[in-house]
Amino acid sequence: MSAEFYTQASRYENLVKIAFNCSRGAKNGADLSFMQNAMTMENGDTFAKHLGSFDKQFDKVKNYTSKALIKLSKTKPFSTEKDFFLNLESKINFIGTTSQLMDIVNKSLDKVLELRK
């Protein structure tokens, strides 16, 4: 597993943890392993065959990301940018790669960090 996958997946985890105000764990998908598994499966380098197909794992991560964006759109101080988060959430069903999903995650996390200042 590459350091790049770990770094990217940790941004996903941070977004979910902030959205749900929770600690790391499987609840709400707040664990970087969900994104890491999707990335490694997409890359063809996985030892986690028990998780199912790439599509199954990717759909799970997309669903967790979608829920996090909806939650952010309803939670202060992030709700001031409700349209921003809901616009990104509306794009999730039309993406097909972890790179595209990470683009949404990165834009969302950057906005969240900006709003927390």
Side-chain angles (χ1 to χ4, degrees):
M1 211 165 301
S2 79
E4 182 182 342
F5 284 177
Y6 181 86
T7 301
Q8 290 180 21
S10 67
R11 289 184 60 83
Y12 156 80
E13 179 183 302
N14 286 335
L15 178 69
V16 175
K17 288 187 332 189
I18 291 168
F20 290 99
N21 192 27
C22 65
S23 57
R24 182 179 189 186
K27 185 172 181 175
N28 302 313
D31 193 311
L32 59 86
S33 66
F34 291 108
M35 181 62 82
Q36 270 184 319
N37 290 337
M39 289 173 160
T40 56
M41 289 174 137
E42 180 179 44
N43 207 32
D45 303 327
T46 186
F47 302 104
K49 301 279 187 217
H50 65 280
L51 296 173
S53 67
F54 162 72
D55 290 334
K56 180 179 176 184
Q57 192 66 23
F58 187 55
D59 285 345
K60 184 185 288 191
V61 177
K62 287 193 324 185
N63 187 42
Y64 287 139
T65 305
S66 175
K67 288 180 180 180
L69 293 175
I70 291 168
K71 180 73 171 174
L72 286 168
S73 75
K74 298 176 181 179
T75 308
K76 291 183 181 182
F78 315 114
S79 58
T80 60
E81 293 288 342
K82 176 181 181 176
D83 292 341
F84 176 83
F85 292 115
L86 293 179
N87 179 51
L88 288 176
E89 191 278 331
S90 72
K91 297 176 181 182
I92 288 179
N93 288 331
F94 302 103
I95 61 172
T97 67
T98 57
S99 177
Q100 292 170 326
L101 182 57
M102 281 307 304
D103 187 47
I104 290 173
V105 167
N106 287 326
K107 286 176 182 174
S108 302
L109 186 59
D110 290 346
K111 180 62 76 175
V112 162
L113 296 175
E114 175 187 313
L115 293 168
R116 290 176 93 190
K117 288 181 180 174

